[in-house]
Amino acid sequence: MNLQKLAWKPIFMRPEAHDAGAPILEVAGLNVRYNGTMALEEVSFHLNRGERLAVVGPNGAGKSTLFKVIAGVLAPTTGQVKVAGGSPGRHICISYVPQRTQVDWTFPTTVAAAVMMGRFGKIGLLRRAGRRDWEYVRECLSVVGMTNLASRQIGELSGGQQQRMFIARALAQEAELMLMDEPLTGLDVPAQEDIFRVLETLRAREVTVMVATHDLQQAAERFDRVMLLRHRLLGLGLPGEVFTTANLQQAYGGHLHLIQADNGLLAVSDTCCTGEPA
Ligand code: ADP
């Protein structure tokens, strides 16, 4: 997936007005099948503005599928997604960051130009990016601490810088719902902390953030609520309510070992699941 492809959608559609009284995200009775393979089954939930949700589940649980449907890049088999009361395909307020491996980092573009792509929906088809837009992009890069990397090719960024560039792009887009698919995977602790610091900026702007992660402890400590997914929604709420032994065993099956550590219950999985329901 290249960055331009992600940017085209907002240019060619007429954005839908927000219903101020509606939750930022409502998912109702969502089912997704790929040629007979069930990825999501009867998933229903809603999120409020400014919430930070960690989405946890084994490989193949349907996390990426859920994000794609919410972002409007994949149509559900049945069920409904509403963003601020309207259809996701008609909104420019959603910023979707796919897994790093899904992005074509060889695409020849600079960091500033990639962040500007986030602004296309605001600029519209009939106008070129002007001085004010470039200033806005520079401000967004400054928020994520990447001013000095503005003219760097995107393929030369480290993993943490790539994620911060995407956050700058969401800021440029003035996104209200940000979906990040495993942004922390493969990053060292300082790079992860940089991301969390920058995510605080989004919280101050009341941006709702959904992050897919494999790190249960980080999910429990750094997010407002957690979602446990294995095709079906096994739980959504405070970590203490959701990360129960029964729920974790249902999610990870026989591959999960629960270890009582100093600071709580640790879930350790050494094998990937098959993606089949428990
Ligand atoms: P996760 O992000 O939690 O690893 P995915 O959403 O990628 O899970 O996948 C959910 C299920 O859907 C898996 O069984 C996966 O093999 C299947 N799947 C995902 N994408 C496709 C696709 N494009 N075609 C067929 N099956 C797919």
Side-chain angles (χ1 to χ4, degrees), residues 34-35 37-40 57-66 68 99 181-182 214 229 231 274-276:
Y34 296 101
N35 302 320
T37 305
M38 183 267 296
L40 291 173
N59 285 329
K63 302 181 293 297
S64 300
T65 301
L66 178 63
K68 285 176 191 165
Q99 288 182 17
D181 201 347
E182 298 194 23
H214 282 286
L229 192 69
H231 308 303
T274 59
E276 295 303 313

Side-chain angles (χ1 to χ4, degrees), residues 15 106 131 153 170 188 190:
T106 63
R131 191 172 49 85
Q153 287 293 308
D188 58 20

Side-chain angles (χ1 to χ4, degrees), residues 168-190:
R169 187 171 167 280
L171 291 171
Q173 185 181 335
E174 298 177 42
E176 293 176 46
L177 175 61
M178 182 150 190
L179 312 163
M180 303 181 81
D181 201 347
E182 298 194 23
L184 303 162
T185 302
L187 302 189
D188 58 20
V189 172

